[in-house]
Amino acid sequence: MADSLKTRVGRVIAGGVHALLDRLEDQAPEAMMEQAIREADSVVADVRHELGTTSANRHLAQQQHLNLNRQHEVLSEQLNQALAQQREDLARVAVARQLDIEAQLPVLESTLAELARQEAELRGYVEALLAKRREMDTALADFRKSRQAAHAHVAPGRTAGQGPADQRMAAATQAFDRVHLRQTGLNAAAAGATLQQAASLKELEELVRQNKIEERLAQWKAQL
């Protein structure tokens, strides 16, 4: 993976969501939330694209490796037939081709190993980025709830939107709603079946994560 993309992945993973929320009182919440979410989604898309390219290259290398091995086997049969018919000239050609193949195979095997390593690394980056994205969603949702709770306890005689704190709370809530709408296509009026599907997909994703956790736990228990 290119160093520039690695840097972007590292920046997203290392970014402190809670530090971001701490600065929302002094910064424009809409701009900061949009930038963080947009950067995470962009990096995920770029890493997935590179993962697809790497997987395709590994598949092509595997096919080439398989074809060369098959050619080597066919040449061995042809070599035996040529020697049986005392055609050393043909046998010599077969041997020469086998030597060429044997020279290529180690290079292909090294390439396959490197592509497999890159593929595993990219898959790990995707999982880490998605985990970070979930963390960001949770933190921002908690932030939204805290602001809504503060809004619900406005002192009697005051209306929502009065004062800088109320204005910041309203702006943060509206910004989150706009970000959520752009990222998911969902709003309050478009709930119902679509939200149920989204919840089911999230439940499925969580089930996969729990299975991974159980598998890892079982491995540790087996080691003990």
Side-chain angles (χ1 to χ4, degrees):
M1 183 168 61
D3 289 339
S4 59
L5 186 53
K6 284 185 178 180
T7 300
R8 293 175 62 199
V9 171
R11 184 167 62 246
V12 171
I13 298 300
V17 175
H18 297 290
L20 168 65
L21 295 177
D22 291 340
R23 295 197 300 271
L24 286 178
E25 290 293 337
D26 303 320
Q27 303 285 341
E30 178 180 1
M32 297 193 71
M33 284 188 288
E34 286 182 347
Q35 179 180 356
I37 293 176
R38 184 168 57 248
E39 175 67 6
D41 290 339
S42 175
V43 175
V44 169
D46 289 344
V47 174
R48 279 177 167 164
H49 175 75
E50 185 156 347
L51 174 59
T53 300
T54 301
S55 297
N57 289 337
R58 185 174 64 84
H59 176 72
L60 291 175
Q62 284 178 330
Q63 292 299 313
Q64 179 66 6
H65 187 270
L66 180 61
N67 290 335
L68 288 177
N69 276 297
R70 287 174 177 170
Q71 289 182 32
H72 197 280
E73 293 176 0
V74 171
L75 286 168
S76 295
E77 296 176 0
Q78 293 174 344
L79 177 59
N80 289 331
Q81 294 176 8
L83 290 175
Q85 298 178 20
Q86 297 183 348
R87 292 294 305 273
E88 291 189 6
D89 56 329
L90 297 179
R92 189 171 288 106
V93 173
V95 170
R97 177 55 183 159
Q98 281 189 328
L99 291 175
D100 289 343
I101 290 175
E102 290 168 6
Q104 296 178 57
L105 287 176
V107 177
L108 267 177
E109 289 166 359
S110 177
T111 300
L112 281 170
E114 176 60 20
L115 289 172
R117 184 197 65 79
Q118 292 178 10
E119 192 173 14
E121 180 184 54
L122 290 168
R123 290 187 188 279
Y125 280 137
V126 170
E127 291 182 1
L129 287 167
L130 291 178
K132 189 68 175 182
R133 183 67 160 77
R134 289 191 293 267
E135 178 186 338
M136 293 170 66
D137 286 339
T138 300
L140 289 175
D142 290 342
F143 172 77
R144 182 190 183 191
K145 290 178 182 178
S146 69
R147 290 310 188 210
Q148 289 177 338
H151 182 71
H153 290 86
V154 175
R158 293 186 58 191
T159 59
Q162 290 182 339
D166 291 328
Q167 293 174 1
R168 288 197 300 271
M169 175 193 67
T173 300
Q174 293 171 4
F176 184 90
D177 289 339
R178 286 194 294 271
V179 170
H180 187 267
L181 176 61
R182 277 194 296 272
Q183 296 299 325
T184 66
L186 299 175
N187 54 32
T194 304
L195 283 176
Q196 291 177 0
Q197 292 174 357
S200 297
L201 290 174
K202 185 173 182 62
E203 183 179 358
L204 178 59
E205 180 181 337
E206 183 63 24
L207 178 62
V208 172
R209 292 184 66 227
Q210 290 301 320
N211 286 337
K212 289 184 178 180
I213 292 173
E214 293 300 327
E215 290 176 359
R216 180 67 57 83
L217 182 59
Q219 291 175 359
W220 278 103
K221 288 181 178 180
Q223 293 177 2
L224 294 176

